Amino acid sequence: MTACTTITSPLGDLLLVGEDTGDGITLASLSMPGQRNAPAIRPDLRQDKAPFADVIRQLEAYFAGELTRFDIPFTPGGTDFQRRAWRALEEIPYGTTTTYGALAGQLGLPRERIQALGAAIGANPLLLVRPCHRVIGADGSMRGYAAGVDRKVHLLTHEGALQPTLL
């Protein structure tokens, strides 16, 4: 059985989709409005906030500045290459960034595979909790983020990896 719920956050509504394992729920997707390839709420999804209580608690603690690392069981998915890239994302510390090139080097990938790495990162179904927002361009630029570069900047500023801009 697949369940979903929507919660309000500083980034807008977050759609949580999870798979019931019998022992609890594993998070299959965390998405935001306007996100590329975001799942839609389908009629076969059971809308139920209760199974997501711990995920919601952790997200609220993160946005309150009280949590820097998530401890959420994820639903397995993706190709072997994507899963390898996603595991590397999970090791990027809160409050820091890395580059696509540095991540490729960490994974032992040649430079010509950086574009494939970027595609794997872009296919991450667990925005925010699997921190793909912490990967930036070699020149410090905010390269793509499925939920929008403005949200990426918001998250990196929240984590202290970017300084707030004064307007």
Side-chain angles (χ1 to χ4, degrees):
M1 173 68 85
T2 304
C4 71
T5 193
T6 303
I7 64 168
T8 302
S9 83
L11 300 172
D13 288 341
L14 303 179
L15 173 62
L16 309 176
V17 178
E19 297 292 328
D20 190 351
T21 64
D23 295 328
I25 198 154
T26 58
L27 191 62
S29 173
L30 187 157
S31 59
M32 302 173 203
Q35 174 184 327
R36 284 189 319 256
N37 303 319
I41 297 178
R42 302 182 323 259
D44 63 318
L45 293 178
R46 175 177 48 101
Q47 293 197 33
D48 186 357
K49 194 169 275 205
F52 296 97
D54 186 55
V55 175
I56 293 168
R57 180 193 59 76
Q58 290 186 52
L59 288 166
E60 288 172 345
Y62 169 83
F63 285 117
E66 301 163 356
L67 183 76
T68 60
R69 188 167 181 92
F70 294 98
D71 183 18
I72 297 171
F74 300 145
T75 304
T79 66
D80 288 341
F81 181 74
Q82 288 172 329
R83 286 190 301 272
R84 191 169 160 225
W86 297 342
R87 280 190 300 274
L89 293 175
E90 293 167 12
E91 299 306 316
I92 305 168
Y94 178 95
T96 67
T97 60
T98 191
T99 65
Y100 292 92
L103 202 58
Q106 177 187 331
L107 293 169
L109 299 174
R111 291 200 59 75
E112 60 269 12
R113 296 284 291 157
I114 291 176
Q115 189 172 8
L117 177 61
I121 291 169
N124 173 20
L126 297 165
L127 294 190
L128 178 63
V129 297
R130 185 182 286 141
C132 54
H133 60 277
R134 296 180 188 154
V135 183
I136 63 173
D139 60 359
S141 62
M142 298 297 116
R143 303 274 180 217
Y145 185 59
V149 171
D150 56 330
R151 288 185 174 129
K152 181 174 189 161
V153 169
H154 179 96
L155 290 168
L156 292 174
T157 303
H158 169 74
E159 294 182 0
L162 288 179
Q163 294 299 313
T165 55
L166 301 174
L167 297 178

